[in-house]
C-alpha cells in the first residue's frame, strides 16, 4: 500500500462518522503521492500523519436566552488544525447542519488554501449548529456573546483569528469583537471581516467573490478568452455569490441565476444585483422575493441552477451542491469553466466528470482563497495601525489570485497533469507547509 493510501485509511478509521472530513482527505491526500515519491524525507518525518491530525479541537456549550425568555443550548466548535506557517486562521460557520466533521473538513482544506495565498497564516475553522435565520438582533447578540465567552481564551492576533463563513457576516463579527474586547481588554486584530469603523479592511466584504472572478479571469485568459459576453450561472445569494456576480457583471458577463436553500431564480435579462442586495443584505429575506423586482424572472422550488445553459458556472452556496447529475447538465449545455466559490462545492465524481469532459475546473481552496487573503491583509493593517485604500487592496487581491493560478497550473504541469488545478492546488499548498514542518522538527 502506498504511503498516501496508508495515511488516508488510518485517518478515516480514526475519525468515524465524519463523512465530509473523509471526502476532503480522499480528495487531497492521493494527489500528493508524486511529490512524496520525489521527497522521501516527508514520509520519514511523518509529515502526512502529523498533517491529518488537528493540533487541537474544542467543543463547547453555548447557552443563551431567546426573546421569549427560553433558555437555548447550542454547540460550539473550533479546530486549530496546523500553525506551521502562521497563526490559526479560518472562518466560523453558523448553520444547523454543522458537526465536528464539517468543521474538520473545512479546517483541513484551510491549511492548503492559506498556504496558497503566500501569506503567513495557518489553518483553522470553527462554528456552531446555531441558526441565525429568523432570529432577532438581540438573540444573535446573546448567542455571539456566549460563544465568545468560551472561545476568547483560545483566540488572539498571533494565536487564532476567526472570521466569517456561512451565517456569519458583519453583524455577527461585530458582536463577537465587542465581547472579545470586553473580556480581554485588548483592541487587536483577533477577528477579521470587521466593520470599517473599527479596524476592518476595505475589499474584505467583496474579496471572496471578486477573487473567484479574478481566478476565472486567469483561467479564461489561458484559453485565449475573457468574461465579455459570457453567460454565468451562480448558486447561493450570500456574501460570496453577490460579489462574484458583481465582478462578473463589471467584466461584461451576464449572470442569469441566484439561489438559496428554498429555490432559485432565473432572470434571462441578467440578475439585478441591487435587488438581490436589498433582499439579502438589508431585508434578510428569501430569493423568491426577487420576483417583486423583475417581470421576466422565474422562480423554481425544485431542480437546480445547473440546468440553465451557461458558459461559466460558479457554485457559491455550500459543500456538495454540484453532483454528477448537475455536472452532466453543465457538460451537455457546453459550459467551459466551473470554479468553486463554496468550499468543496463538487463531489469527487462530479469533479472527475467535468475534467474528463474538458471543463476547466478550479477547486475552492484556490478559487475562493481571496477571502482569507484579504483577511490576512486586514491583519497586516491592524498590526501596522494603517488602513489601506480600496484600489490598493483590490490590486493586491488581484495579484494574489494571479499568483495562485500560476502556482496551481505550474505544479499540475510539473507532475504531468496539465490543467488539473485541483491536484496542482493540493501540491502547491502542501509544499510550503511540509517544508516549514520539516524545518521546525517534530512538534
Ligand atoms: P452566506 O451565509 O452569506 O450565504 C450562503 C448562501 O448559500 C445562502 O444563499 C444560503 O441560502 C446558501 N446555502 C447555505 N447552506 C445551504 C444548503 N445547505 N443548501 C442550499 N443552500 C445553502 O455564506 P457565504 O456566502 O459566506 O459562504 C458561501 C460558501 O463560500 C461557503 O461554502 C463558504 O464556506 C465559502 N466561503 C466563504 C468565504 C467568506 O469569506 N465568506 C471565503 C471562502 C469560502 P440560505 O440563506 O437559504 O441558507
Ligand atoms: O473558507 C474561508 O476561507 C473563509 N470562510 C474565510 C476565512 C477567513 O479567515 O477570512
Amino acid at each position: 500500500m502506498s504511503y498516501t493510501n496508508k495515511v488516508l485509511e488510518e485517518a478515516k478509521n480514526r475519525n468515524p462518522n465524519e463523512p465530509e472530513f473523509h471526502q476532503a482527505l480522499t480528495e487531497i491526500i492521493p494527489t500528493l503521492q508524486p511529490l512524496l515519491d520525489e521527497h522521501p524525507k516527508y514520509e520519514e518525518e511523518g509529515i502526512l500523519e502529523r498533517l491529518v491530525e488537528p493540533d487541537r479541537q474544542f467543543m463547547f456549550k453555548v447557552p443563551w436566552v431567546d426573546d421569549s425568555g427560553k433558555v437555548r443550548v447550542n454547540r460550539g466548535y473550533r479546530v486549530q488544525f496546523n500553525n506551521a506557517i502562521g497563526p490559526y486562521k479560518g472562518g466560523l460557520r453558523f448553520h444547523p447542519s454543522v458537526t465536528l466533521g464539517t468543521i474538520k473538513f473545512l479546517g483541513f482544506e484551510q491549511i492548503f488554501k492559506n498556504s496558497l495565498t503566500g501569506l503567513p497564516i495557518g489553518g483553522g475553522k470553527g462554528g456552531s449548529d446555531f441558526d441565525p435565520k429568523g432570529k432577532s438582533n438581540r438573540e444573535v447578540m446573546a448567542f455571539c456573546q456566549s460563544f465568545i465567552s468560551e472561545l476568547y481564551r483560545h483566540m488572539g492576533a498571533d494565536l487564532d483569528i476567526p472570521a466569517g463563513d456561512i451565517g456569519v457576516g458583519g453583524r455577527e463579527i461585530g458582536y463577537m469583537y465587542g465581547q472579545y474586547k470586553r473580556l480581554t481588554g485588548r483592541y487587536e486584530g483577533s477577528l477579521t471581516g470587521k466593520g470599517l469603523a473599527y479596524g476592518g479592511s476595505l475589499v474584505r466584504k467583496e474579496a471572496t467573490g471578486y477573487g473567484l472572478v479574478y481566478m476565472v479571469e486567469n483561467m479564461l485568459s489561458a484559453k485565449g478568452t475573457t468574461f465579455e459576453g459570457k453567460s454565468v450561472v451562480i448558486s447561493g445569494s450570500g456574501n460570496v455569490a453577490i460579489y462574484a456576480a458583481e465582478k462578473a457583471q463589471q467584466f461584461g458577463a451576464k449572470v442569469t441565476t441566484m439561489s438559496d436553500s428554498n429555490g432559485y431564480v432565473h432572470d434571462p435579462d441578467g440578475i439585478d444585483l441591487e435587488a438581490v442586495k436589498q433582499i439579502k443584505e438589508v431585508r434578510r429575506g428569501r430569493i423568491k422575493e426577487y420576483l417583486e423586482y423583475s417581470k421576466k424572472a422565474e422562480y423554481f422550488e425544485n431542480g437546480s441552477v445547473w440546468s440553465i445553459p451557461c458558459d461559466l458556472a460558479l457554485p457559491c452556496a455550500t459543500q456538495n451542491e454540484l453532483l454528477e447529475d448537475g455536472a452532466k447538465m453543465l457538460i451537455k449545455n457546453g459550459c467551459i469553466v466551473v470554479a468553486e466559490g463554496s468550499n468543496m462545492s463538487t463531489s469527487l465524481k462530479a469533479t472527475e466528470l467535468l475534467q474528463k469532459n474538458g471543463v476547466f475546473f478550479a477547486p475552492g481552496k484556490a478559487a475562493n482563497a481571496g477571502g482569507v487573503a484579504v483577511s490576512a491583509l486586514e491583519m497586516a493593517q491592524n498590526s501596522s495601525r494603517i488602513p489601506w485604500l480600496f484600489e490598493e487592496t483590490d490590486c493586491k487581491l488581484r495579484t494574489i489570485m494571479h499568483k495562485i493560478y500560476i502556482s496551481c497550473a505550474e505544479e499540475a504541469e510539473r507532475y504531468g497533469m496539465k490543467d488539473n488545478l485541483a491536484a496542482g492546488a493540493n501540491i502547491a499548498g502542501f509544499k510550503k507547509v511540509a517544508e516549514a514542518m520539516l524545518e521546525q522538527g517534530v512538534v
Side-chain angles (χ1 to χ4, degrees), residues 51 54 57 71 75 130 173 201 224 226 270 283 290 296 322 331 336 359 366 372 376 417 440:
L51 196 64
Q57 38 194 344
V71 174
R75 184 174 282 179
F130 172 74
I173 295 290
S201 173
T226 67
R283 285 203 235 156
Y290 185 81
K296 272 214 188 142
L322 171 47
I331 293 162
I336 56 170
V359 179
V372 76
M417 299 178 282
Q440 291 173 27

Side-chain angles (χ1 to χ4, degrees), residues 93-95 97 105-106 110 113 125 131 133 163-169 204-205 207-209 235-242 259-263 280 285-286 315-319 321 340-345 364 368-372 375:
R93 176 176 294 191
F94 293 170
H95 193 273
S97 65
F105 115 66
L106 290 162
Q110 199 82 42
K113 182 195 304 192
K125 198 87 188 187
D131 187 358
K133 249 190 250 134
D165 194 82
I166 291 175
V168 178
R204 177 62 189 89
K205 183 175 68 175
T208 313
S235 65
S237 49
N239 174 264
V240 180
I242 288 175
S259 68
D260 62 24
S261 54
N262 294 108
K280 290 292 174 181
R286 309 309 300 157
C316 294
T318 192
Q319 66 272 15
E321 54 167 320
E340 295 183 330
S342 45
N343 287 302
M344 207 164 74
S345 333
N368 71 33
V372 76
S375 276

Side-chain angles (χ1 to χ4, degrees), residues 3 92 124 143 160 166 187 247 267 306 327 370 388:
Y3 174 45
L92 296 171
F143 173 82
D160 187 351
I166 291 175
Y187 209 106
K247 186 52 75 178
D267 190 340
W306 319 127
W388 303 343

Side-chain angles (χ1 to χ4, degrees), residues 212-339:
L212 173 64
V213 169
Y214 294 149
M215 171 59 67
V216 176
E217 177 187 34
N218 283 283
M219 297 165 78
L220 291 174
S221 159
K223 302 292 172 198
T225 183
T226 67
F227 265 96
E228 192 63 45
K230 298 277 189 304
S231 60
V232 185
V233 300
I234 293 183
S235 65
S237 49
N239 174 264
V240 180
I242 288 175
Y243 293 95
E246 182 166 284
K247 186 52 75 178
Q249 289 180 348
Q250 286 172 12
F251 280 177
K254 182 152 108 176
V255 177
T256 59
T257 65
M258 297 199 92
S259 68
D260 62 24
S261 54
N262 294 108
Y264 73 94
V265 287
H266 175 220
D267 190 340
D269 287 343
I271 292 283
D272 171 358
L273 254 195
E274 285 316 307
V276 176
K277 286 185 186 176
Q278 186 66 28
I279 297 164
K280 290 292 174 181
E281 294 185 337
V282 182
R283 285 203 235 156
R284 297 185 186 272
R286 309 309 300 157
I287 201 67
K288 188 180 182 179
E289 296 162 33
Y290 185 81
L291 296 182
E292 296 166 23
Y293 293 83
S294 161
K295 289 214 162 55
K296 272 214 188 142
E298 284 188 280
Y299 176 73
F300 302 89
E301 248 163 36
N302 298 311
S304 75
V305 297
W306 319 127
S307 63
I308 305 295
C310 65
D311 300 308
L312 318 170
L314 307 178
C316 294
T318 192
Q319 66 272 15
N320 291 323
E321 54 167 320
L322 171 47
L323 306 176
E324 276 175 282
D325 57 340
K328 280 181 191 153
M329 290 190 274
L330 290 172
I331 293 162
K332 186 170 131 266
N333 290 329
C335 172
I336 56 170
V337 166
V338 172

